[in-house]
Amino acid sequence: MNFERSQGTGYGQDGKVKRVGEKAQSNCKSMNDSLDGFLIDENQLHTYDDLTKVNPVTPTTVLRCLQARYSAKVFYTHAGCTLVALNPFQPIPDLYTLEVMKEYHFAPRPQEFKPHIFIVAEEAYRNVQGQVEPTNQSLVVSGESGAGKTWTSRCLMKYYATVAASSSVIECQDTVERIEKRVLDSNPIMEAFGNACTIRNNNSSRFGKYIQLQLDRSQLLVGASVQTYLLEKTRVSCQLASERNFHIFYQMMKGATEKQRKEWRMPLDQSFAWLPNAEKTLEEDCFHETTEAMVHLGINAERQGEIFRILAGLLQLGNVNFRSSVDESQPCCLDDQSKDFLQRTAHLLCVSAEELQTVLRVRMLKAGKQSTLHKPCSLPECRTRKECLAKVIYAQLFEWLVRFINNSICADNSAWCNFIGLLDVYGFECFQINNLEQLCINYANEKLQQHFVAHYLKAQQDEYVAEGLEWSFVKYQDNKGCLDLIEGSPSSVFSLLNEECRLNRASDAQQFRVRLEKELSDNTSMSWDKFSKKPHFTVAHYAGKVIYQIEGMMEKNKDPMPPELIALLQTSENALLHQLFADSEAENPAARGHSKVVTVVSKFKGSLESLMKILHSTTPHYTRCIKPNTDCRPMTFRKEEVIMQLEACGIVETIHISAAGFPIRIPYRSFIQRYGSLSKSSSLKTNPHDKDLAGDHKDRLGSAATDVLRLALLSQSLDPAYILHSATLNSLMHCGKTKVFLTQSVLDLLEDCRNKLLSQRAFSIQCCWHRYQKRRRRARIQAATLIQAGVRSWFVRREVRRWHRAATVIQTTWRKWRTLMDTLAEAELDDAEDILEEELPVLDPILRERGSVQLSSIQEPVLVRSWPMGLVLASAPSITVSMTGTGFHKMMSVVACLKLPFRRGEYKVKTNQFKQGVASIRAQPRGSVKLHYQRSPLLFAGMHPDRKSDGVTGFNQILLENT
């Protein structure tokens, strides 16, 4: 570059030219020497994780570094604020596993890991509730068709569905897993109905989508929403050579069961005109995965049957062919085979076959408000109406699927507070024949390139100058001229197209070309090939020049829909098809006012502008996907194709700005709030909410911010002389007028110092809190001990008082009973009568004094010393008891209580108060009664002694022997 510039300035005398040429040659030689010095060790090129480390930064050095990393199977490389992703065109094991996701998610600093798409995802996830100001995030994945944008978006969705779905609550975990499953299941459905195989990509997105992953305050995934842009519905009825229709049709053909084939009238050996290259098998031809995802999203088997019957009907409609009629006043004819296909189409769409045949061949014209004319359609018109019917049905079905997915996975507005957006749009396209679809697709890519330029390349440099940084501008490619050509005002390609459609006249491609040349000839981004016979125009896009054919562009922009076709579909017995067109307008577009005409370009431009508003309100993260070769061959790197993509998307300029700039910009107020605690400077004790940050106050804050950085550097045990050097501080941080500019390494350093300080303070707070808790616990224990002692003493006193009351009652009752017994005994002694039936032997005075029992079988009285009375009576074979009682009933009760054995019913009861000395069985002894045992009689409870003559055995014998 320097060589060419120097030679261009060398003119005049030969000597001067020679001197300038020699100087240019020396500059070129020195540059080549530095380049050779950089490229001398190619074995180390793959170690450059960030292209900002390349020196010098030129397209050649960047290309060689990317090629070395690609050869080493390293496919991700940082390029300043963007991530460059090279498509390997083959599966790479262990690159996107769950373990790798967790490794990047739980890492304190993911930036220190190897470049990966998960680093960009994790950075956006952490910035949702970021270090300074939480904001919504957007991940913009751009690149050419086949560069790997769809795969990258799929990996991002899987990453967020994994890391944002972790919860310790079981109920919440079930809900999050269900949402995660639905979000992931929406992807195969969208790809099946919206992606197709093109000459540049086997899984090319034929629509744009912006997915919002909705997060709650805890950063858990609670829902998602999908916005789509410009489905290429013309692909249903028109496919280029070597390309295929949408994936869903091939999935049905290859994955349907015999029962389904019979229901859909799709024999295995049948071919369809709208299903080219059906013999080609792709990884995306997985019908079971699509139907399983439908079930998880809530599309039941009945609704699936309605969807697939509609799609099968479209395939049958493609086989319907018309031929011109001999009489021009009659509609076009159908051969026998086409009539059969028409019958199948009507059966699958659940409409009348006669009415379907009529609306395809006859056009209805309104003459006034009530009269209607029927005009036979020409052969091209019949084909157009057939294709129009297929396109409108498929487009409505696709929109219904998007609405159903959103209703299934979208959360309420109150349930989420932030989102992360994933933008996956069609890449830049340039085919042999380019029409309105390619113009809109490339226009969308131009808008995204402008967003990248405006947000990063231009806005950052303008901000550096406004904030007072010493900055030399880096030149970059601006695509403003191309966008003015496509969408500018007052005249542009889009405005002229819309004007042609509102005129409601027959389209003339040559006339429109002349008008374009007249209105837009001043724009350098447009050119024409005057020798071409076909009307066309050429647009110089940022990625290269594209030739667009004008023929058919106006008709596609009008997107006409005959009202009789809609009226027919509204009569369908297919519940889903009837629902799709129940609220559609059956009004003739020609009858509308000029202001009511809504063209394809207008709708696409409006939806794209709403998308750009969302992107401008979020923090973007860029990923540039690079296609190493156009043939999609694995591990094949073609330099000329890669360098064109690098220059087109501005990677080299991005590296220059990233290497020399400050990617982190924090307002003073936010900086003080977050990092002011690192310094004891009085400047940082100012009210952070004070809006007056100008003049001397700003200077004090700038010096305080510099002190914070010095303290942070000193905490890393660096050389103080190196730290105090102004050049060192200026290379790491710059204090502007309203903001502090930092590099990523300085921000990480400040975060580490802040975390350490917070940890120390948290430890101090914990110590104080533990001390306070310990003292409080000790005081509570002492108080509890006193309370327990008081309560126990109260319980003891209460129990003692109860005992005293009980003892008093017992004593009182005992005394009353004792008095009563004495009274009764005295009364019985007074009322007793002498009963004497026979003479008894005279007892010994000692026996009379101690008591005796007369046994009938023993002649002499038996001496009883403290024998249990019941034992004696129960052991005696015949006993005579002398006792005193009053009344017959009382005596019988006493005998019954003693359980005396009856022998022939003969017994006698008599008193012996005069002779035997026993007053009464109720009378209590006058002295104390004491029983003395040598050993406990229970020890002999299991013994069975021999039967003795006195008849006492067992336990009674033990008692007698030991009493």
Side-chain angles (χ1 to χ4, degrees):
M1 294 174 66
N2 293 336
F3 177 75
E4 294 177 356
R5 188 179 299 114
S6 298
Q7 280 189 337
T9 57
Y11 59 90
Q13 300 178 358
D14 295 340
K16 186 175 182 180
V17 173
K18 184 177 180 180
R19 286 194 300 271
V20 173
E22 291 176 353
K23 182 178 180 181
Q25 291 177 2
S26 63
N27 291 337
C28 182
K29 183 177 180 181
S30 62
M31 181 178 177
N32 290 333
D33 291 341
S34 63
L35 183 62
D36 293 339
F38 168 74
L39 299 176
I40 191 170
D41 190 3
E42 296 187 0
N43 295 329
Q44 299 298 324
L45 290 179
H46 67 279
T47 61
Y48 287 88
D49 293 337
D50 197 332
L51 295 177
T52 57
K53 300 177 182 178
V54 175
N55 188 20
V57 178
T58 63
T60 304
T61 57
V62 172
L63 180 67
R64 294 294 298 272
C65 185
L66 291 177
Q67 184 179 11
R69 293 177 64 83
Y70 190 77
S71 301
K73 295 186 177 181
V74 181
F75 308 105
Y76 291 104
T77 307
H78 290 298
C81 67
T82 64
L83 180 70
V84 178
L86 296 170
N87 194 345
F89 294 112
Q90 67 179 12
I92 305 299
D94 301 329
L95 189 58
Y96 307 98
T97 60
L98 181 61
E99 291 73 16
V100 177
M101 295 182 188
K102 293 181 178 179
E103 183 179 1
Y104 281 91
H105 177 58
F106 293 108
R109 292 183 183 178
Q111 295 81 5
E112 297 180 355
F113 284 54
K114 293 182 179 180
H116 202 287
I117 188 61
F118 294 158
I119 291 182
V120 180
E122 183 61 27
E123 181 181 358
Y125 182 69
R126 297 186 182 186
N127 286 350
V128 171
Q129 295 186 356
Q131 299 172 344
V132 181
E133 295 180 0
T135 56
N136 297 324
Q137 308 291 310
S138 290
L139 282 80
V140 182
V141 183
S142 60
E144 293 188 2
S145 179
K149 301 183 302 298
T150 301
W151 173 259
T152 302
S153 301
R154 192 186 304 173
C155 293
L156 290 172
M157 288 184 63
K158 180 63 178 176
Y159 182 83
Y160 286 124
T162 302
V163 304
S166 58
S167 176
S168 58
V169 183
I170 298 178
E171 294 80 0
C172 182
Q173 180 70 23
D174 296 339
T175 303
V176 170
E177 287 181 355
R178 185 175 66 253
I179 296 173
E180 171 198 357
K181 184 64 176 175
R182 289 187 176 183
V183 170
L184 293 180
D185 284 335
S186 65
N187 202 50
I189 297 177
M190 300 292 288
E191 290 187 7
F193 285 83
N195 290 20
C197 176
T198 64
I199 58 177
R200 307 191 66 182
N201 186 6
N202 290 339
N203 190 28
S204 176
S205 298
R206 308 318 301 163
F207 70 104
K209 61 181 177 182
Y210 183 72
I211 304 174
Q212 283 187 350
L213 301 177
Q214 300 161 348
L215 306 175
D216 61 5
R217 297 186 182 276
S218 301
Q219 291 184 279
L220 293 179
L221 183 66
V222 295
S225 64
V226 181
Q227 301 176 22
T228 59
Y229 307 94
L230 190 65
L231 174 70
E232 189 188 15
K233 56 186 178 182
T234 56
R235 183 169 292 271
V236 177
S237 57
C238 181
Q239 305 85 27
L240 298 178
S242 302
E243 292 192 355
R244 301 202 318 174
N245 209 324
F246 291 105
H247 290 324
I248 186 62
F249 295 107
Y250 299 93
Q251 292 179 2
M252 292 173 58
M253 281 291 297
K254 299 178 181 181
T257 61
E258 292 297 331
K259 181 180 178 181
Q260 290 174 334
R261 292 182 182 278
K262 185 177 181 181
E263 180 184 357
W264 301 338
R265 307 290 182 87
M266 294 173 59
L268 188 61
D269 56 347
Q270 183 178 355
S271 60
F272 296 96
W274 288 350
L275 213 61
N277 302 312
E279 69 282 354
K280 187 176 181 179
T281 303
L282 300 178
E283 181 183 355
E284 288 75 18
D285 297 339
C286 186
F287 185 62
H288 176 70
E289 182 180 356
T290 303
T291 55
E292 190 176 18
M294 287 182 171
V295 173
H296 291 159
L297 285 176
I299 304 178
N300 54 30
E302 181 180 359
R303 185 64 78 184
Q304 290 184 31
E306 296 173 354
I307 294 173
F308 296 134
R309 284 174 63 89
I310 294 174
L311 297 177
L314 297 183
L315 292 179
Q316 300 291 345
L317 180 63
N319 287 352
V320 177
N321 296 317
F322 298 93
R323 54 185 176 87
S324 300
S325 177
V326 179
D327 188 359
E328 294 182 357
S329 62
Q330 297 297 324
C332 295
C333 302
L334 294 173
D335 53 19
D336 295 337
Q337 190 174 7
S338 295
K339 290 181 180 179
D340 180 52
F341 288 130
L342 186 67
Q343 290 287 342
R344 296 183 183 181
T345 303
H347 172 74
L348 292 171
L349 298 180
C350 299
V351 296
S352 172
E354 292 76 11
E355 294 182 6
L356 177 61
Q357 184 175 356
T358 301
V359 297
L360 291 178
R361 301 189 302 164
V362 179
R363 181 173 57 179
M364 296 175 59
L365 300 176
K366 286 188 176 181
K369 295 184 179 180
Q370 296 181 352
S371 59
T372 304
L373 301 178
H374 294 80
K375 179 183 177 181
C377 297
S378 62
L379 181 61
E381 289 178 345
C382 290
R383 293 173 181 172
T384 302
R385 292 170 78 87
K386 180 186 72 171
E387 295 174 357
C388 182
L389 178 63
K391 290 188 295 184
V392 71
I393 290 176
Y394 193 84
Q396 291 291 330
L397 179 60
F398 185 80
E399 291 181 2
W400 178 86
L401 278 172
V402 174
R403 291 195 301 270
F404 188 92
I405 290 174
N406 285 332
N407 293 334
S408 178
I409 64 178
C410 188
D412 296 334
N413 293 332
S414 59
W416 61 279
C417 57
N418 296 102
F419 68 85
I420 298 177
L422 305 179
L423 180 60
D424 177 20
V425 296
Y426 9 60
F428 183 82
E429 292 184 350
C430 180
F431 301 131
Q432 292 180 354
I433 299 177
N434 303 287
N435 210 285
L436 183 64
E437 295 85 3
Q438 282 68 41
L439 179 62
C440 292
I441 288 173
N442 294 337
Y443 163 66
N445 283 272
E446 290 283 355
K447 293 289 287 186
L448 293 178
Q449 179 66 14
Q450 185 195 39
H451 176 263
F452 174 75
V453 169
H455 179 269
Y456 194 79
L457 299 181
K458 183 177 184 299
Q460 284 199 10
Q461 297 189 86
D462 293 343
E463 187 176 18
Y464 292 158
V465 175
E467 290 289 336
L469 276 75
E470 297 180 0
W471 182 262
S472 59
F473 274 87
V474 177
K475 294 183 179 181
Y476 54 87
Q477 181 182 359
D478 195 355
N479 62 341
K480 186 176 183 301
C482 181
L483 286 173
D484 290 340
L485 172 67
I486 298 176
E487 64 169 1
S489 177
S491 294
S492 63
V493 176
F494 281 175
S495 63
L496 295 177
L497 273 174
N498 291 334
E499 187 176 345
E500 284 290 329
C501 295
R502 293 190 182 98
L503 293 177
N504 193 22
R505 65 184 181 186
S507 302
D508 189 344
Q510 189 64 35
Q511 183 179 358
F512 184 71
R513 178 193 178 280
V514 173
R515 191 176 181 188
L516 287 175
E517 189 173 358
K518 179 181 179 181
E519 297 285 345
L520 305 174
S521 58
D522 296 337
N523 196 308
T524 57
S525 298
M526 176 174 279
S527 60
W528 295 267
D529 184 4
K530 297 182 179 180
F531 299 100
S532 177
K533 297 181 180 180
K534 294 183 179 180
H536 72 283
F537 62 92
T538 303
V539 178
H541 292 284
Y542 75 95
K545 292 184 178 182
V546 180
I547 301 175
Y548 297 99
Q549 301 295 332
I550 301 178
E551 190 69 37
M553 188 173 288
M554 280 75 76
E555 287 77 6
K556 290 182 178 180
N557 190 35
K558 293 178 182 178
D559 195 20
M561 182 60 192
E564 52 268 26
L565 293 181
I566 296 180
L568 174 66
L569 296 175
Q570 288 176 343
T571 62
S572 174
E573 296 180 0
N574 187 309
L576 178 58
L577 187 60
H578 178 77
Q579 177 184 350
L580 296 180
F581 295 92
D583 300 329
S584 299
E585 295 182 357
E587 183 182 359
N588 192 347
R592 303 175 184 172
H594 289 185
S595 60
K596 294 183 179 179
V597 176
V598 181
T599 61
V600 173
V601 166
S602 299
K603 291 189 293 185
F604 180 69
K605 183 180 177 181
S607 61
L608 193 59
E609 287 178 352
S610 64
L611 171 64
M612 299 311 296
K613 289 181 181 179
I614 296 176
L615 293 180
H616 283 298
S617 64
T618 60
T619 301
H621 303 265
Y622 301 98
T623 300
R624 295 289 190 181
C625 296
I626 303 297
K627 190 175 183 180
N629 62 87
T630 57
D631 300 330
C632 301
R633 293 181 179 179
M635 301 306 297
T636 301
F637 192 93
R638 294 178 180 173
K639 299 180 181 180
E640 62 278 3
E641 298 176 5
V642 175
I643 199 169
M644 288 178 60
Q645 299 176 57
L646 293 177
E647 293 176 349
C649 62
I651 289 293
V652 178
E653 293 83 358
T654 303
I655 298 171
H656 275 296
I657 297 176
S658 299
F662 300 93
I664 309 300
R665 300 173 297 278
I666 306 175
Y668 278 118
R669 187 183 307 166
S670 300
F671 186 87
I672 292 170
Q673 290 178 353
R674 190 164 186 87
Y675 305 111
S677 58
L678 299 179
S679 175
K680 298 181 181 180
S681 175
S682 59
S683 301
L684 298 184
K685 296 181 180 179
T686 309
N687 184 11
H689 299 285
D690 187 5
K691 296 182 180 180
D692 186 13
L693 297 177
D696 297 337
H697 192 60
K698 170 257 173 185
D699 296 335
R700 290 197 303 270
L701 293 176
S703 61
T706 305
D707 293 339
V708 170
L709 179 59
R710 286 195 181 100
L711 292 175
L713 294 174
L714 287 173
S715 64
Q716 301 298 317
S717 301
L718 298 178
D719 186 9
Y722 173 77
I723 295 174
L724 296 176
H725 196 270
S726 59
T728 303
L729 295 178
N730 291 334
S731 64
L732 299 176
M733 182 183 70
H734 182 85
C735 296
K737 297 179 180 180
T738 61
K739 297 179 181 180
V740 179
F741 294 81
L742 307 170
T743 61
Q744 183 65 43
S745 60
V746 173
L747 180 65
D748 295 338
L749 176 61
L750 292 176
E751 284 295 318
D752 287 342
C753 294
R754 181 176 178 270
N755 292 334
K756 291 179 181 178
L757 180 63
L758 292 179
S759 298
Q760 294 174 359
R761 295 184 176 181
F763 179 74
S764 300
I765 294 173
Q766 289 175 353
C767 291
C768 296
W769 175 253
H770 289 321
R771 183 164 53 252
Y772 166 75
Q773 289 283 0
K774 189 175 182 180
R775 292 176 179 176
R776 188 178 180 183
R777 190 181 302 110
R778 184 181 304 168
R780 286 181 176 180
I781 292 175
Q782 293 177 356
T785 302
L786 294 177
I787 293 173
Q788 290 174 358
V791 171
R792 289 193 185 97
S793 63
W794 180 80
F795 275 117
V796 170
R797 289 193 299 270
R798 188 183 67 174
E799 195 67 21
V800 169
R801 285 195 296 267
R802 287 181 58 192
W803 291 349
H804 282 297
R805 288 195 300 269
T808 303
V809 171
I810 293 173
Q811 290 176 358
T812 303
T813 305
W814 170 255
R815 292 189 185 99
K816 291 181 180 180
W817 182 80
R818 181 72 175 272
T819 304
L820 179 61
M821 292 297 103
D822 292 344
T823 304
L824 292 176
E826 292 177 358
E828 290 177 357
L829 290 176
D830 294 341
D831 296 338
E833 296 181 356
D834 293 337
I835 301 175
L836 184 60
E837 290 186 359
E838 59 182 5
E839 295 292 334
L840 295 175
V842 180
L843 296 177
D844 189 83
I846 297 176
L847 294 178
R848 182 182 299 175
E849 185 177 336
R850 296 184 178 179
S852 64
V853 177
Q854 181 68 39
L855 302 177
S856 60
S857 60
I858 303 175
Q859 296 298 327
E860 296 294 330
V862 179
L863 181 63
V864 179
R865 296 184 179 179
S866 301
W867 284 14
M869 188 175 183
L871 178 62
V872 175
L873 297 178
S875 301
S878 178
I879 189 170
T880 300
V881 181
S882 299
M883 58 187 65
T884 304
T886 302
F888 179 76
H889 293 287
K890 182 178 291 187
M891 299 301 298
M892 293 298 296
S893 299
V894 171
V895 173
C897 290
L898 295 177
K899 296 182 180 179
L900 296 177
F902 293 92
R903 185 166 53 188
R904 294 185 304 275
E906 297 178 357
Y907 61 90
K908 295 178 182 180
V909 179
K910 64 179 182 179
T911 61
N912 58 351
Q913 63 182 46
F914 298 106
K915 296 183 178 180
Q916 278 78 8
V918 179
S920 173
I921 61 173
R922 293 184 183 178
Q924 298 297 324
R926 297 296 182 182
S928 61
V929 179
K930 297 182 179 180
L931 299 178
H932 300 279
Y933 297 94
Q934 298 177 356
R935 286 179 298 179
S936 174
L938 297 178
L939 298 176
F940 305 94
M943 296 179 62
H944 299 279
D946 298 336
R947 185 176 182 84
K948 296 182 179 181
S949 58
D950 54 5
V952 180
T953 61
F955 183 72
N956 297 332
Q957 181 184 1
I958 297 171
L959 293 177
L960 291 175
E961 292 177 353
N962 294 277
T963 300

